[in-house]
Amino acid sequence: MSQTAEKIVPCYPLFQQPEYRETLKKKAAEYENREPANVIDETFEWTTSPEYRALNFQREALTVNPAKACQPLGAVLCSLGFHATLPYVHGSQGCTAYFRTYFNRHFKEPIACVSDSMTEDAAVFGGQKNMFAGLQNAKALYEPEMIAVSSTCMAEVIGDDLNAFITNTKKDGRIPMDFPTPYAHTPSFIGSHLTGWDNMLEGILRYFTLNSMQDKEPGKSGKINLVAGFDGYLGNYRVLKQMAREMGVEATLLSDPEAVLDTPADGKYRMYAGGTTQEEVKQAPNAIDTLFLQPWGIDKSKKFVKETWNHPTTAVDAPYGLAATDQFLMTLSRLSGRPIPASLELERGRLVDMMADSHAWLHGRSFSVYGDPDFVMGMARFLMELGAEPLHLLSNNATKRWGKAMETLLASSPYGRRGEVHFGRDLWHMRSLVFEKKPDFLIGNSYGKFIQRDTLHKGKAFEVPLIRIGFPIFDRHHLHRQTTLGYQGAMYLLTTLVNAVLERLDEDTRGMAETDYNYDLIR
Amino acid sequence: MLTQDEAQKLIQEVLAAYPPEAAEDRAKHLAVLDGESADGGGCGITANRKSLPGVMTIRGCAYAGSKGVVWGPIKDMIHISHGPVGCGQYSRAGRRNYYVGYTGVNTFGTMNFTSDFQEKDIVFGGDKKLAKLLDEANTLFPLNKGISVQSECPVGLIGDDIEAVAKKKSADLAKPVVPVRCEGFRGVSQSLGHHIANDTIRDYILDRPNAAFTGEAGPYDVAVIGDYNIGGDAWSSRILLEEMGLNVVAQWSGDGTLAELERTPKVRLNLVHCYRSMNYISRHMESKYGIPWLEYNFFGPTKIADSLRRIAAKFDARIQAGAEAVIAKYQPMADAITERFRPRLQGKRVMLYVGGLRPRHVIGAYEDLGMEVVGTGYEFGHNDDYERTQEELKNTTLIYDDATGYELERFVEQVRPDLIGSGIKEKYVFQKMGIPFRQMHSWDYSGPYHGYDGYAIFARDMDMTINNPCWKMMTPPWRQPGAEAA
C-alpha cells in the first residue's frame, strides 16, 4: 500500500513504488506489443546520428514540434493591450478556448476573449448571423469600450468579410453605429502569431486614424510611439515606458497589456485594466515617430504608419543587450531632442559592471537559441557582447531575409564564428542540431525541456540544459513577470545565464571524494 | 445554502443581463434542483446545443475531443494535427495523459506533429502534402504502430480527400492510417469529436482486416474504457482491478497502445469510467461482440467500494472474494485519510463546472470528506449525463449547462462557495475573487485522483487549497472592518 494518512504522495514518487512498477512492467510486457529493448535502444541511437540528421533535414511536408503559433493568438494578445477591449474571434469556438488556455498557462492570469461559435451551418451560409448575435451578446454581457475582431482559419477559408459583417451588425441595430469595432483578418495558414499581432495592430490603428488624418501632423504632440510587438514578458512593456519616462519623453505604447495581465488578488476580478486608450491611438499620428521594437514581422503596421501617418518609422533593433539598448536610447534622444539622462547612464554602467564581473563564466560558452526572429537575433547579439558564442540560431517563423541579416550579424564578431542560422525549421531539427554539435546550453521556451531529456538519455555528457527564456513558459512560475529588454532586461538575462552556468558546474562537481575540486564556495 | 427561491431569483437576475433572444436560450440551460423533488427527468435541462455567439463559452471543439481526448493519448501511434499550426501547438502535452515510453522513438504522446498548412495548401489542397508527410513520419519514426490524421477546420472546407490518402498510405506502410474528420466546426463542442474518434477507432482499428487479436482470451480479461490517465488515474485504477483478480488488458486511451485497442473485442467486460466520451465504442462492442459494459466510479472510497462490488458481481466467487479483500485492505487507509481531513473540510460548499464524467462522479468523493456540492454543470454534457447526475444530488443545487463566463462569475459572487472545481480558464478569475480553486481537468498538476491512492491525494489537495492562508490575505489590514486609518 502506497499512501498513509501521514505521508501522501502524488504521481511522483507514487508510481515509483514496487507495486506500480510491477503493474506497468506487466502491462508493457504482455499487452503493449512493445519492441525488444535492444531495438528501442538502437533506434534511439540512430535518431541521434548524423545520418538521421540528414534525413531529418530532408523533411518537406512534416513539421515536428514547431516553435511558433498561429495568427489569431497574436491578435488576441494585441487586442488585450487596449483599454477596456474585448478580443473577439470570428470562427470556430475551439480556437478561442485554446488561445485563452495558452495565455492562462503562461501568464497565470484570466484571459477574457469571446468567440462567435461558428458551426457547420455557418460553414455553409457564412458567419454573418454569428457576428450579429455575437457582437450584441458580447457587448451586453461584458460591457467593453471596444471589441477587436479577428478571425480563425475556418472563417478565412469560407471567405467571410469582417468589414461587411460588422457594418451589417451595426445597421441591424445590434450594437451602436459608433461603437468601436476594429478588425483584422488573421488567417492561421499565413505567417505566425507575430503576423496576427501585426494585422490586429494595423486594424486598430486604421480604425481610429484612417479617416481623421486632416488635422494630424507628425511631431505635433512631441510624443513618440513605441510598438513592443508580441511579447510574453510583462517587464518589457514596463521597462520601455520607464526608459522613456526617464528620458523625459512622452511615449505611447501601442498595445500595452501589462496591467490587464497582472491584476491583483484582492477579492475582485477585473476583466479590464489599463491598456492603451482610444484617445491615445487617435492622437498617435501626431507623434514624432513610431518605433517598431520587433522589426521582423511587423510589416503591415509599419507600412500603415509610414504611408498614412507619414512617420519615418526609424529603424531600431529589438533592444536586447547593451548595444541595441544604446542604439534605442540614442534614437529616442535624437528624435525627441532629449539627452540621455544620468539615471540611464548609471544603469548602463551597472550593466557593464555586471558583464565585467561575470565575463569569466560566460566567455567562450556556447548557447543554441530558438524563438521568434527578433528574440533570437537580440539574444545572439547579447551573447556575443558577453564573449559567449551563439551556436545554433533557429527561428521557425523567420524568413530568408532574416537568415541573411543573422549571417551578417554573426560575421560582425569573432564570437559569431561558429554560429549556424536556421529559419523555417522546428524543434525536431534543433534536436538533431544539438546532437550533432553540442552547445553548453539551449535557450528557449518550455518546449525545450524535451530536447534536454532526449540529450540526457544519450548520456550525461550529451545533456544540453535548457535555460528558459521566451514564450511560452509553462513549467516555471512567474518568469513572465521579468524583463528582457533594455539595460534592466540585460541584467536579468545575464544573471539567468551566469547562474545557469554556475548551477551546472555545481551539478557536475557535487560528487563527494570524486569532484571535490571546482565545487567552490566562492566564484 | 441557497434556498430554492433564492436560487431561482439568482438565475433570473443573471438572465436579465442578456439580450432577450439570448436570455430565452440560456434559460433552458439553467436550473435549480432539489434532492427531494427529483423527477428523474434530467433536471429539465437542455443540453448539447449550440453555444451562443459572443457569450464566452468555456467549450472547445471536435478536434479537441478527438485529438486532445480520445486519440491523442494512444502512445505508440503518431497523431498528425492536419491543418494550420495552431491547434497542435495549443493542445500539445496539455492534458497530462501520462504514459511511459521512449518519446520520439516508440511513443509520441507529448510531441506535436503537424502539416503546418500554408496558403498554397488551402488553395491547391493538402492531400499531396499529407501523403508526403505520412512517408516522412514513418521514415523518421519507424517504430510507430500507426498514424491518425486529425483534421483541423480547413481540411473539411477545401474538399480534401484524406480518406483516399489514408487508404493508400495504410497499404503502402502496412499500418493503420486513420483519417479523422474532427474539424473544429463540426458539432457544438468537444463531444462530437469524441463520437467521431470512437467511430474511427471502430472502422479503422477494430474492423481492420487481419488485425484482430488472435491470442487466447482469459476469463478475467477486462478493458478500462474512458480513463485518460490524467496524473496516472488509470494506473491507480488498474492496480485495484488486478489485485482483485482481473486482467486489465487494455486502457482506453490513457497510456494506451494499438495492441490494447485491438485486443479489446475479446474481453469479458468493458469498464467505462468516462461515459460521455466512450459510451459509443462500448455500445458498439456490446452489439457487435456481445461484450457487456459497466459504468463505474473510482472517486472516493464509498464509490470505489460500490464499484468494485458491482464489477465483481459480473464475475465468479473468486473475483468477488478478491474485491472484498481489496476493500478490506484499503478501507483502513481511506478511513485514516478521511479522519485526518474531514474535520478540516466538513460542511465546505463546492461548486463544480467541468466536463465528461466529473460534474457527477466526483460528488461522492467530496461527500466522503464531509463536503457538499451546491452547484454543478457540464461543458459538453448530453441529457443522459444530467439524468445520471440527478441521482447523485442531495441538497439544493444550481445546475448550469455550457455556462458562460458571465454566469459563473455572477453565480459564484452570490453563492460564495468554499471551493470551486473547474478549468484553467476559470481558475484565475476566481482566485482573484478570493475563492479557493482547484483545476478539475488536469488535477491542477497533481493526481492521480482515481482509486484509493488517488483519494488520499484528492483529500490532501482539497485541504491544502481550502485551508491555505493566502485566501485571508486579500484585504490589507488597513481596509479591514474597524481598522484604524493608516
Side-chain angles (χ1 to χ4, degrees), chain B residues 138-410:
Chain B
N138 200 53
T139 302
L140 291 170
F141 306 95
L143 301 189
N144 81 80
K145 298 287 171 48
I147 303 176
S148 80
V149 180
Q150 307 284 329
S151 303
E152 300 170 10
C153 289
V155 173
L157 299 170
I158 60 177
D160 274 11
D161 189 355
I162 61 168
E163 288 78 8
V165 177
K167 190 173 178 189
K168 172 159 193 316
K169 282 295 147 191
S170 184
D172 289 355
L173 306 176
K175 289 176 181 178
V177 176
V178 184
V180 189
R181 288 289 187 173
C182 56
E183 288 90 344
F185 60 82
R186 294 193 197 280
V188 303
S189 69
Q190 294 89 315
S191 186
L192 187 63
H194 305 142
H195 198 154
I196 292 167
N198 277 227
D199 288 354
T200 48
I201 293 180
R202 176 195 66 201
D203 296 345
Y204 294 92
I205 303 295
L206 302 189
D207 288 353
R208 200 163 70 98
N210 311 319
F213 172 68
T214 50
E216 201 63 24
Y220 301 122
D221 286 0
V222 297
V224 166
I225 308 276
D227 188 324
Y228 300 101
N229 205 34
I230 290 168
D233 281 338
W235 295 334
S236 58
S237 301
R238 75 177 290 133
I239 203 163
L240 301 177
L241 298 168
E242 288 182 334
E243 222 172 317
M244 72 192 262
L246 300 173
N247 297 320
V248 180
V249 303
Q251 286 181 199
W252 289 57
S253 58
D255 193 38
T257 56
L258 178 66
E260 289 169 69
L261 300 184
E262 289 176 340
R263 189 178 179 131
T264 306
K266 293 277 175 66
V267 301
R268 296 301 158 126
L269 180 64
N270 275 325
L271 299 172
V272 180
H273 209 243
C274 182
Y275 167 84
R276 179 71 276 126
S277 58
M278 283 203 179
N279 76 84
Y280 318 101
I281 198 73
S282 308
R283 291 177 197 279
H284 168 72
M285 285 192 264
E286 182 177 43
S287 67
K288 180 156 183 187
Y289 309 107
I291 303 170
W293 53 281
L294 178 76
E295 280 183 78
Y296 70 108
N297 179 348
F298 267 8
F299 288 103
T302 305
K303 293 291 179 187
I304 296 171
D306 173 64
S307 294
L308 289 172
R309 289 188 175 118
R310 285 193 297 115
I311 293 166
K314 301 283 184 187
F315 292 92
D316 57 18
R318 190 190 137 207
I319 299 297
Q320 286 160 21
E324 291 307 323
V326 168
I327 295 166
K329 174 181 166 192
Y330 287 96
Q331 193 63 42
M333 180 268 270
D335 289 344
I337 298 288
T338 304
E339 200 177 319
R340 175 176 163 194
F341 291 105
R342 192 166 173 135
R344 301 167 59 80
L345 298 171
Q346 183 77 39
K348 299 288 185 191
R349 297 148 68 243
V350 187
M351 282 178 76
L352 299 170
Y353 180 59
V354 259
L357 69 163
R358 290 158 180 170
R360 63 175 176 274
H361 263 41
V362 297
I363 293 174
Y366 282 113
E367 288 176 351
D368 284 336
L369 291 168
M371 300 166 76
E372 298 166 18
V373 173
V374 298
T376 192
Y378 293 81
E379 260 185 57
F380 48 82
H382 297 205
N383 282 77
D384 51 2
D385 289 301
Y386 287 97
E387 281 160 24
R388 286 168 160 77
T389 310
Q390 195 151 344
E391 51 204 62
E392 304 289 337
L393 301 175
K394 295 199 175 62
N395 36 272
T396 307
T397 311
L398 267 175
I399 309 285
Y400 23 84
D401 177 70
D402 184 24
T404 67
Y406 179 84
E407 288 163 11
L408 289 174
E409 219 184 297
R410 292 291 94 77

Side-chain angles (χ1 to χ4, degrees), chain A residues 1-6 8-11 14-15 19-20 23-24 26-27 30-35 39-41 43-44 46-47 52 55-56 58-70 73 86 88 92-94 97-102 104-105 108-121 123 130 133-134 136-138 140-142 153-154 157-158 174 188-191 263-269 271 427-428 447 450 453-454 457, chain B residues 17-19 22 50-57 59-61 63-64 75-76 80 84-86 89-92 94 96 98 100 102-106 110-119 122 129 132-133 136-137 139-143 145 153-154 157-158 184-189 231-232 235-236 238-239 242 247-249 251 255 257 259-260 263 329-330 333 336-337 340-341 404-406 409 424-425 428-429 432-433 446-448 453 456-457 460 474:
Chain A
M1 194 170 324
S2 304
Q3 310 279 23
T4 63
E6 294 71 41
I8 298 169
V9 292
C11 345
L14 176 66
F15 298 127
E19 59 267 44
Y20 280 105
T23 186
L24 292 184
K26 183 178 164 205
K27 179 177 183 293
E30 293 181 23
Y31 310 129
E32 291 188 356
N33 187 25
R34 201 183 267 212
E35 298 74 11
V39 173
I40 295 171
D41 289 346
T43 308
F44 172 79
W46 170 68
T47 68
Y52 189 86
L55 271 178
N56 192 16
Q58 280 165 25
R59 269 191 283 143
E60 289 174 356
L62 177 68
T63 293
V64 184
N65 299 345
K68 62 175 179 178
C70 72
L73 182 86
L86 184 65
Y88 178 115
S92 303
Q93 71 192 10
Y98 279 143
F99 307 146
R100 296 178 69 200
T101 302
Y102 210 61
N104 290 143
R105 288 171 175 162
K108 302 208 178 292
E109 288 291 318
I111 302 294
C113 175
V114 298
S115 160
D116 58 15
S117 301
M118 284 167 64
T119 51
E120 277 163 307
D121 52 339
N130 298 69
Q136 183 180 18
N137 290 337
L141 284 185
Y142 300 110
C153 51
M154 176 212 183
V157 170
I158 64 174
R174 304 300 183 111
S188 55
F189 44 83
I190 297 173
T263 61
D266 61 357
K268 189 176 154 199
Y269 162 54
M271 185 173 279
L427 296 183
W428 198 254
Y447 295 114
F450 297 108
R453 183 171 66 178
D454 284 7
H457 184 63
Chain B
Y18 286 92
K50 272 196 254 181
S51 302
L52 289 174
V55 296
M56 214 180 299
T57 174
R59 282 175 170 176
C61 64
Y63 165 90
K75 65 180 178 180
D76 58 356
I80 308 282
V85 72
Q89 193 71 327
Y90 309 132
S91 60
R92 182 178 175 192
R96 306 184 67 238
Y98 283 170
V100 283
Y102 296 85
T103 299
V105 181
N106 73 338
T110 51
M111 297 173 68
N112 174 6
F113 298 84
T114 173
S115 44
D116 187 10
F117 262 25
Q118 300 300 304
E119 197 166 19
I122 301 289
K129 187 174 203 178
K132 184 180 252 184
L133 78 78
E136 290 175 355
T139 302
L140 291 170
F141 306 95
L143 301 189
K145 298 287 171 48
C153 289
L157 299 170
I158 60 177
F185 60 82
R186 294 193 197 280
V188 303
S189 69
W235 295 334
S236 58
R238 75 177 290 133
I239 203 163
E242 288 182 334
N247 297 320
V248 180
V249 303
Q251 286 181 199
D255 193 38
T257 56
E260 289 169 69
R263 189 178 179 131
K329 174 181 166 192
Y330 287 96
M333 180 268 270
I337 298 288
R340 175 176 163 194
F341 291 105
T404 67
Y406 179 84
E409 219 184 297
I424 186 82
K425 298 193 287 300
Y428 302 106
V429 171
K432 285 176 195 293
M433 287 167 66
S446 175
D453 282 337
I457 303 163
R460 178 201 72 158
M474 303 260 157

